[in-house]
Structure formats: structure tokens, C-alpha cells
Amino acid sequence: MNSKFNQLLSMKNLRDIQKTEILVQMEQASKNKDKDKDKDKETLLRLTKQLRSIS
């Protein structure tokens, strides 16, 4: 039972790490001062879909 709990905990921690990485990427894309705003919107949409799939 303890190993199952540890496995579930590590899966949760991995999801939390993935969410944090995606949120950081989203923040960087939203602060991006590039001239290509369409690319930034596409990036934010892609990251939002990834975040939803993890949650």
C-alpha cells in the first residue's frame, strides 16, 4: 500500500511540475514583445490545451 501511495504522489508531483512549466511558458509568451502576435496567440492556445489535458 505504501508503494502505491508513493507512486500516486510522484504522479501528482510530476503533473504539478508539468503545469508549472506550462504556466511559465505561457507567461513568457504573453510578455513576448515580438512583432508576430498571431504566433503568440497560437502558442498560448496550444499551452492552454496542454494545461487542460494535464489537469
Side-chain angles (χ1 to χ4, degrees), residues 24-47:
V24 168
Q25 291 176 22
M26 290 175 82
E27 184 177 350
Q28 289 171 345
S30 67
K31 289 182 177 179
N32 197 356
K33 301 294 183 197
D34 276 355
K35 296 174 184 174
D36 193 359
K37 294 293 180 187
D38 290 336
K39 183 179 178 186
D40 291 342
K41 287 180 185 176
E42 290 174 16
T43 301
L44 287 171
L45 284 173
R46 178 179 53 79
L47 292 169

